Amino acid sequence: MANNNQMTVSRYTAILAEYDLILGEARGFSGRLTGRQVVDEHLKLAEIIFTKMVCHAISLRRISPTLQNGSNPELWDIGAACAIARTLVESFDALGYIALQPVTDPEREMRILLWELHDKEHRLTMLDGIGAEGPDIEQLRDNAKKLRDAAMTHPFYGNLSRKVQQKIAASEAPAYIRIQSDRNQASGINHDYYLNVIMQLSQYVHTLPFALSQLRLTHAGDPGALQIMSLPLQYCMPFIAKAIEGMGQLWPALRTKMPEDTQRKIDLWILLAADGVKGAGK
């Protein structure tokens, strides 16, 4: 990850090139998934979430400065870059929770069941908040009840904490039955590193004072601005690398031998995600 050394054009260009290598592997794996028949629900969801991650990664690359001379100046939108990066990171969290983490079949079924129930209840809350009515709303309400009943009669229900059971009964099903630190540990992500990434990206997403002070003191093209614009790219690479690794474990037949340099870079980002970066430089 980023360190205290001043960002230079050559260093930023190297970060872009490394990002392109890893993104290329993700796009390649996504392409090899196309057209395959998938039966298991968690594999269907894995394919969709991974595709979502790849789309975010492509979008982030497209809005990142290229430093190429042209007639039209580039827009250095750090807020948009951080928003996309945070969405990508949180997509990996969902991918790991739904499909990559090694859990029993009953627990995985319950995870997906409550994940879908949470979604429907959340939508109902929003629709009720604007006074929406009609047969579609009632159908959604009925579908939520069926999912709730299925969850409460599921064999894994007794393994849930009392707090989670109470939320389900109160029509407030949580999206996740494992807390963030447990999900990170199960996904091979250092929890402190994850929190730091989310906090750093959120400063720009939520327009906090520190982010504004940095924007006020930097200008497009100077080392400080390059440093800021490189952060979303660097923060995303460990999670893209972990997603590639995880998808390869789900579909080992789709893995291909990577160039040695690409494999080494992916392995280093995976190691960084597991160990964190306190005091370390990329």
Side-chain angles (χ1 to χ4, degrees):
M1 289 306 303
N3 57 28
N4 294 325
N5 295 331
Q6 186 179 65
M7 180 62 66
T8 63
V9 170
S10 61
R11 183 164 174 249
Y12 177 79
T13 302
I15 290 170
L16 280 182
E18 189 166 341
Y19 185 89
D20 286 342
L21 278 178
I22 297 174
L23 175 56
E25 290 299 327
R27 294 181 69 167
F29 199 99
S30 180
R32 293 191 293 276
L33 281 170
T34 303
R36 297 185 67 84
Q37 294 295 321
V38 180
V39 177
D40 294 341
E41 185 65 18
H42 74 286
L43 294 180
K44 293 179 183 178
L45 292 170
E47 182 177 359
I48 296 170
I49 298 171
F50 183 70
T51 300
K52 180 177 183 288
M53 281 191 69
V54 173
C55 289
H56 295 322
I58 293 171
S59 295
L60 176 59
R61 179 62 177 87
R62 287 179 176 173
I63 69 170
S64 296
T66 63
L67 306 184
Q68 295 178 353
N69 294 325
S71 57
N72 295 321
E74 294 181 306
L75 176 64
W76 292 34
D77 189 348
I78 181 60
C82 286
I84 294 172
R86 176 168 174 170
T87 304
L88 185 150
V89 171
E90 294 187 354
S91 295
F92 174 80
D93 186 29
L95 177 64
Y97 177 78
I98 293 297
L100 302 184
Q101 295 168 10
V103 297
T104 63
D105 289 343
E107 178 169 350
R108 195 176 305 282
E109 290 172 2
M110 179 61 82
R111 288 185 178 197
I112 295 174
L113 189 58
L114 291 183
W115 195 57
E116 293 177 344
L117 175 58
H118 169 84
D119 173 69
K120 286 179 172 51
E121 290 180 343
H122 189 64
R123 287 163 58 196
L124 282 170
T125 298
M126 292 188 292
L127 291 167
D128 289 343
I130 60 174
E133 297 179 350
D136 290 345
I137 307 300
E138 294 311 309
Q139 182 62 57
L140 179 61
R141 206 178 306 279
D142 184 60
N143 290 341
K145 183 181 183 306
K146 290 178 180 178
L147 286 173
R148 190 178 307 112
D149 291 343
M152 296 178 73
T153 57
H154 193 278
F156 194 79
Y157 185 76
N159 297 93
L160 300 175
S161 69
R162 184 169 182 80
K163 181 179 180 180
V164 170
Q165 291 181 1
Q166 290 173 339
K167 283 183 172 293
I168 295 171
S171 300
E172 299 174 353
Y176 300 103
I177 60 174
R178 304 298 180 194
I179 61 175
Q180 187 68 65
S181 58
D182 289 345
R183 300 201 303 272
N184 286 337
Q185 182 178 16
S187 292
I189 302 293
N190 180 279
H191 185 56
D192 288 338
Y193 173 72
Y194 177 90
L195 292 179
N196 180 68
V197 167
I198 293 297
M199 286 191 292
Q200 291 278 2
L201 296 174
S202 296
Q203 289 185 102
Y204 295 94
V205 173
H206 299 309
T207 317
L208 295 178
F210 177 71
L212 294 181
S213 69
Q214 285 192 308
L215 293 176
R216 187 172 63 249
L217 296 173
T218 58
H219 303 280
D222 67 24
L226 271 179
Q227 173 76 6
I228 294 172
M229 291 302 299
S230 76
L231 290 178
L233 296 165
Q234 295 185 81
Y235 283 144
C236 282
M237 281 192 271
F239 296 95
I240 300 172
K242 286 290 297 182
I244 294 170
E245 177 189 52
M247 294 296 284
Q249 292 169 350
L250 292 181
W251 281 279
L254 298 185
R255 288 185 295 198
T256 59
K257 184 174 178 57
M258 301 180 195
E260 184 176 338
D261 183 58
T262 303
Q263 184 66 67
R264 181 182 64 83
K265 286 181 168 61
I266 286 179
D267 290 344
L268 285 174
W269 283 112
I270 289 173
L271 181 64
L272 180 148
D275 293 346
V277 292
K278 286 186 177 179
K282 174 178 171 292

